[in-house]
């Protein structure tokens, strides 16, 4: 009969040094480190922009049921949810190249990466905030207005705290 294997022996100092050597080499590669920090910057800016723009789009679609162009607006903000990412990416590339040729702006780089990521993030974030907004009791907002709060005060003091969990979720 064979014995079951026992607990693994802890790694030796030479094994640890051999494994850490590759992490040290990774940290010395400036292209990888620069790429990492670019990713952090893009993620941070995209998260903030997606949260703000997604919240505004959701607020407009939930609170203002009838306005001229609502169908077009709804279609435009929801389009990235149903289009393949490859199609969106190619369309954005063609748009940015055309704009650069016509206006000389934007240069392809960090800004265009952020714009593309924000386009997708805003669409997904809008859905999250929209579901939270649909659950908010309108009576709370109406009570605040009856007590003299202006519309922007109602949004920042009543609505925003009630949808903060959704905004936090979309930021992640």
């Amino acid at each position: 009969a064979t014995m079951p294997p026992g607990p693994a022996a802890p790694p030796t100092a030479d094994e640890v040094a051999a494994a850490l050597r590759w992490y040290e080499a990774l940290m010395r590669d400036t292209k990888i480190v620069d790429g990492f920090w670019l990713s952090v910057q893009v993620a941070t800016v995209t998260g903030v922009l997606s949260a703000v723009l997604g919240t505004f789009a959701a607020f407009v679609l939930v609170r203002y049921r009838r306005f001229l162009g609502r169908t077009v607006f709804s279609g435009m903000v929801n389009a990235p949810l149903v289009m393949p990412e490859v199609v969106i990416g190619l369309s954005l590339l063609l748009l940015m190249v055309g704009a650069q040729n016509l206006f000389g702006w934007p240069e392809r780089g960090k800004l265009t990466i952020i714009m593309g990521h924000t386009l997708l993030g805003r669409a997904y974030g809008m859905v999250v905030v929209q579901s939270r907004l649909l659950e908010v009791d309108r009576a709370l907002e109406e009570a605040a207005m009856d007590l003299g709060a202006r519309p922007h005060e109602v949004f920042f003091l009543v609505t925003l705290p009630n949808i903060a969990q959704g905004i936090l979720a979309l930021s992640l």
Side-chain angles (χ1 to χ4, degrees), residues 33-112:
V33 172
D34 291 346
F36 170 77
W37 286 116
L38 175 65
S39 295
V40 169
Q41 292 170 349
V42 167
T44 303
V45 173
T46 298
V48 170
L49 287 175
S50 296
V52 170
L53 296 174
T55 300
F56 287 152
F59 187 80
V60 166
L61 289 174
V62 171
R63 293 295 188 250
Y64 300 100
R65 294 285 184 189
R66 294 175 161 252
F67 63 88
L68 184 63
R70 185 184 197 284
T71 304
V72 173
F73 179 73
S74 179
M76 294 298 287
V77 296
N78 285 311
L81 297 174
V82 295
M83 291 174 61
E85 285 84 1
V86 172
V87 172
I88 294 171
L90 183 59
S91 300
L92 282 173
L93 176 64
L94 294 174
L95 175 71
M96 297 300 171
V97 168
Q100 187 177 18
N101 289 339
L102 192 60
F103 305 115
W105 182 88
E107 291 290 327
R108 288 187 300 275
K110 187 185 338 183
L111 177 64
T112 54

Side-chain angles (χ1 to χ4, degrees), residues 140-158:
L140 295 173
E141 295 172 345
E142 291 169 5
M145 286 188 274
D146 288 344
L147 293 171
R150 293 185 172 90
H152 70 278
E153 293 173 324
V154 172
F155 178 77
F156 285 107
L157 298 174
V158 178

